Amino acid sequence: MNVTENLHRSEVIDLFVSVSEATVSIRNKNDLVSFIQYKLKNIFQFSDLAISRYNIPKGTFKVFLEHCDKTNQHPDFNAIAYEEYPLKDGLHDKIMESENTVVLSVDSLIASGMKHLVFLQNAGIKEIVGIRLLQNGEVFGGMVLLSEEEGAFTVLQRRLIEKISNYISSAVANIIANEEIQKRDKEKSILLSLSNETAKVKTKEELFLVISEKLKDLFSILSFGIIVKDRDTQTHRFFMFEVDDSTKIDSEFQTVINHQYINSNDLIFTSILNTGTPIVLETEKLEEPLPLYAQFWKKNNIQKVIGTALSVADDDIGCLFLRVEDDFDINSSYDLLKGVSSQIAIALSNIISNEKNQSQLKEILNYKEQLENEKAYLQEEITSGNRYADIIGGSIEMKSIFHLLSQVACTNSTVLILGETGTGKELIARAIHNSSPRKNNLMVKVNCAALPANLIESELFGHEKGSFTGAFERRIGKFELAHKGTLFLDEIGEMPLELQVKLLRAIQEKEIERIGGKGILKTDVRIIAATNRNLINEVKEGRFRSDLYYRLNVFPVHLPPLKNRKDDIPELVNYFMAKFSKTIGKEVKGISKKAMTELLQYDWPGNVRELEHVIERSILMTEGSLIKDAFLPYRETFSDHKKETGDRTIAGFEKSYIIDVLKQCNGKVFGPSGAAVILGIPHTTLHSKMKN
């Protein structure tokens, strides 16, 4: 019925009873809309109604509920109606301050500056009547009724609106309370679900999925990021993040997430940890200097970010950043944010601990593998019989070598040992290593001439399982094995050109990469290289890289051939006699003057190694305790050729002897019965001599 000035008292009472009964049963917005539709519109002449909630501390209001048949026809109605507006707008400030209804003209309001009400004017609204809503004597909102006619509300109707507003206030308060209860129930449910999910989390990927799904349910976040402290606790970096696809590929964003931040320089990070509670970061108000991630926020017009500390007990792990809508109200979500951050912190702590355990386990396994490799290498060294107690020699030439060794041994400088085959280059390398600060670690040897070209890279740098055909297991390379020690590259002149580049990089950058590996490995290795080749000529001929040569030729040591240090022969003979008498089981204690003279007159193209083999052979052939004859390799050949042709050069005798041995071996160069083994020289040296 329409209320008129002549409405009887009994009818007014019936009206209030009806309104009272209706509002008591209202529990949600739909109930209130139905009440407005079927009760109030039958009493008052209005087309649209809106109820707003006031945020008095903030000084703003926002539509809480509306029933607008006319104004919602505007295409931008939702954007306009649900915008947040200042309370002092000329309408709501008057409603809030008045105990009675306020009646205002739409035209006058627009004329006073409320341009956002033009859409009401366009919808044909002429007049607005408003009344404040109270709860426990405090204003919390306002109700406005919109009419298409001026003077549509009589004095009695306005009094009735004032009375009914009390019931409307109760209904709205109930709805708000119910929504709050529902919200808290939902939050508790999500927190319980989050707790259950995080308890199961074992990996970074699992945590990402939980956060991504649950936080979107709770806060409608746009993106998030987690920063954690590094192990040194003085720096921090991004642990995980979720952004849109276009941001992910942004090079500037990649710089942001891969950057290592220093705690003391990042005021945002430290303030969040010190506060220990969720805080709002409004980018325009952040103080300089800004960390890279905050610079990125400002540059990309990100207005508001929520930051909250991630801590377990007194241990600060890091912080969580949530990018939220500009109208996000932290006050209504404060406790929930604390609960969520606590759950995430526990899961994050477990993951970091698990990753640390896995890393330590990996280190233990790597260390175990390293020890096994070192053990195998040392056993190989022992069984090869290639260990010397000392360098033999007191000649002027050797004293000069000792002086050089005393200068370089205690440093980390690269050494290049040059000399003919058999002069003792490996022995010198070991002497340098044993006199260096690295002596307690391995000296690892790589014979570049003894390995096929396709295996040298694997030998030096190692490989991962399955990285190539035949790679049935993971293998540690010699660079890794020699970490903190010395790497001896014997016969470096034989290394293929394509591998020289990789070797140069490993030496210069002090880092390697296993074949099939995914990461760079840092190495701390001292390089000692040796060769019997003239590397300068090799560089000129294009067989050796000049940059690698100059990198190796930091401290060259030229070993004299045995023919230039014959004063050392007697001492060397005594050393080898003692050595082989023990290993062979013969008590040979001396050598005849005749045999020694032969040894001193011989020019020793095979140098000390050849002398070693001659003494071993002579002991095997000797009966008794005295070597009477030195079984020189060229002895018979020398006698035969001298009878036929007279005196010839040593080179000529050497050539004839090599040809004879090759004939005996049917042309076989290397292998157990090859000419190289019989001659006691490397097969590469034999190849070189055959070419000459």
Side-chain angles (χ1 to χ4, degrees), residues 187-230:
E187 289 174 355
K188 288 179 181 178
S189 175
I190 293 175
L191 274 177
L192 179 61
S193 174
L194 181 65
S195 177
N196 292 334
E197 292 295 327
T198 52
K200 302 174 188 174
V201 164
K202 294 289 189 295
T203 66
K204 184 176 180 179
E205 292 74 21
E206 290 173 349
L207 179 61
F208 177 86
L209 290 175
V210 171
I211 295 175
S212 180
E213 292 173 3
K214 300 300 179 184
L215 292 193
K216 284 178 180 176
D217 283 346
L218 285 169
F219 307 116
S220 300
I221 60 169
L222 303 174
S223 59
F224 75 87
I226 292 178
I227 289 180
V228 298
K229 284 184 178 180
D230 291 324

Side-chain angles (χ1 to χ4, degrees), residues 362-648:
K362 186 177 180 181
E363 286 179 11
I364 291 170
L365 292 174
N366 286 341
Y367 186 60
K368 180 182 177 184
E369 185 178 3
Q370 182 92 355
L371 289 175
E372 289 173 349
N373 278 278
E374 288 181 7
K375 178 182 176 182
Y377 184 82
L378 289 171
Q379 287 177 338
E380 183 182 336
E381 284 279 280
I382 293 168
T383 55
S384 68
N386 198 23
R387 293 173 62 86
Y388 295 83
D390 203 355
I391 301 173
I392 308 301
S395 62
I396 294 174
E397 291 80 6
M398 289 308 296
K399 287 179 180 178
S400 176
I401 295 297
F402 293 147
H403 176 68
L404 289 174
L405 298 187
S406 68
Q407 291 179 311
V408 77
C410 60
T411 73
N412 280 317
S413 298
T414 301
V415 179
L416 179 61
I417 305 172
L418 304 165
E420 296 178 5
T421 297
T423 50
K425 294 187 286 295
E426 182 179 350
L427 185 60
I428 295 297
R430 191 165 294 283
I432 294 172
H433 172 75
N434 289 338
S435 302
S436 75
R438 298 170 178 263
K439 63 184 178 182
N440 293 325
N441 296 306
L442 286 179
M443 185 188 94
V444 179
K445 175 187 174 183
V446 177
N447 190 328
C448 301
L451 290 168
N454 62 329
L455 291 182
I456 294 179
E457 183 177 4
S458 173
E459 186 75 10
L460 285 175
F461 308 124
H463 63 255
E464 297 292 345
K465 181 179 179 181
S467 56
F468 55 84
T469 303
F472 299 116
E473 60 183 12
R474 179 170 170 263
R475 178 174 183 176
I476 289 180
K478 293 296 192 282
F479 262 94
E480 283 184 81
L481 193 59
H483 184 61
K484 298 293 184 182
T486 303
L487 182 63
F488 176 47
L489 301 171
D490 199 10
E491 306 288 356
I492 189 66
E494 309 292 334
M495 179 170 283
L497 270 171
E498 61 270 19
L499 278 177
Q500 292 177 24
V501 180
K502 295 185 178 182
L503 174 61
L504 178 64
R505 179 181 177 274
I507 295 174
Q508 287 181 334
E509 305 298 330
K510 299 186 183 301
E511 59 184 30
I512 61 168
E513 187 174 358
R514 294 195 197 107
I515 299 174
K518 296 181 180 179
I520 299 297
L521 302 172
K522 292 289 183 181
T523 60
D524 176 12
V525 174
R526 183 187 191 173
I527 299 294
I528 300 178
T531 183
N532 62 351
R533 292 196 175 197
N534 186 325
L535 290 186
I536 294 178
N537 288 341
E538 293 296 305
V539 170
K540 289 178 181 178
E541 296 294 328
R543 291 189 292 269
F544 202 84
R545 292 180 62 93
S546 59
D547 48 6
L548 178 58
Y549 168 70
Y550 293 120
R551 187 65 187 78
L552 295 174
N553 195 39
V554 175
F555 193 93
V557 176
H558 295 264
L559 296 186
L562 187 56
K563 64 184 177 183
N564 291 348
R565 46 175 287 221
K566 288 190 175 181
D567 291 349
D568 293 328
I569 289 178
E571 188 177 354
L572 287 166
V573 168
N574 288 331
Y575 174 81
F576 290 135
M577 280 196 305
K579 174 185 174 181
F580 291 117
S581 293
K582 184 177 180 179
T583 57
I584 292 172
K586 283 188 176 183
E587 291 191 17
V588 177
K589 299 180 180 179
I591 184 169
S592 68
K593 186 176 181 179
K594 170 179 170 291
M596 181 61 76
T597 300
E598 287 180 338
L599 296 178
L600 291 170
Q601 289 178 346
Y602 184 59
D603 275 336
W604 300 105
N607 294 294
V608 178
R609 186 183 292 119
E610 185 182 11
L611 173 61
E612 181 181 10
H613 293 158
V614 166
I615 298 303
E616 182 180 12
R617 191 158 48 244
S618 298
I619 289 175
L620 287 169
M621 300 298 291
T622 294
E623 296 179 1
S625 60
L626 183 72
I627 296 176
K628 297 178 181 178
D629 293 301
F631 287 85
L632 294 165
Y634 307 140
R635 190 172 180 183
E636 294 182 6
T637 305
F638 177 82
S639 299
D640 292 341
H641 282 278
K642 189 172 182 179
K643 291 175 184 177
E644 295 173 6
T645 61
D647 289 334
R648 296 184 63 186

